[in-house]
Amino acid sequence: MNSTTNGSGGTAALVAARPSTAAVAPRAVALASVFLLLSLVDRVVAVVVAAMTSAWCAGRFRSRYRQLIRSGRERAARDERGQRPTADPARPGERGCIARTAMA
């Protein structure tokens, strides 16, 4: 099971823990200093790799999201088809019960 579902069948909101500013600042300075030490060619390569990785991640996210939507719709249609044979025979009995209750 996915970690986003709780025992009641709903989805639990995921809250990302944000690091404090004191923890982020030294990392940002370290990253900036490393970036300044790189040559121009290394910077270009780093930017190209980062752009390609970001594009790949975005494409993968869109693909997985579409697959999730499609499978959810297929499951809903399958569940609806499964309920139809049970609901159709029960419908006249329910109507008769409602009619008898309304007459009384």
Side-chain angles (χ1 to χ4, degrees), residues 28-82:
V29 170
L31 183 63
S33 62
V34 167
F35 195 70
L36 291 174
L37 294 175
L38 297 175
S39 69
L40 180 61
V41 174
D42 292 336
R43 290 181 198 173
V44 170
V45 169
V47 169
V48 168
V49 168
M52 289 174 59
T53 304
S54 299
W56 179 81
C57 288
R60 186 165 172 86
F61 172 81
R62 285 181 54 186
S63 171
R64 291 291 180 120
Y65 184 77
R66 287 179 181 167
Q67 181 182 6
L68 178 67
I69 296 298
R70 185 176 36 244
S71 67
R73 288 180 180 159
E74 289 171 358
R75 183 175 179 180
R78 185 180 64 237
D79 289 347
E80 190 174 310
R81 284 191 307 270

Side-chain angles (χ1 to χ4, degrees), residues 83-96:
Q83 288 178 352
R84 201 169 286 145
T86 309
D88 287 342
R91 196 167 286 136
E94 276 185 45
R95 288 182 181 158

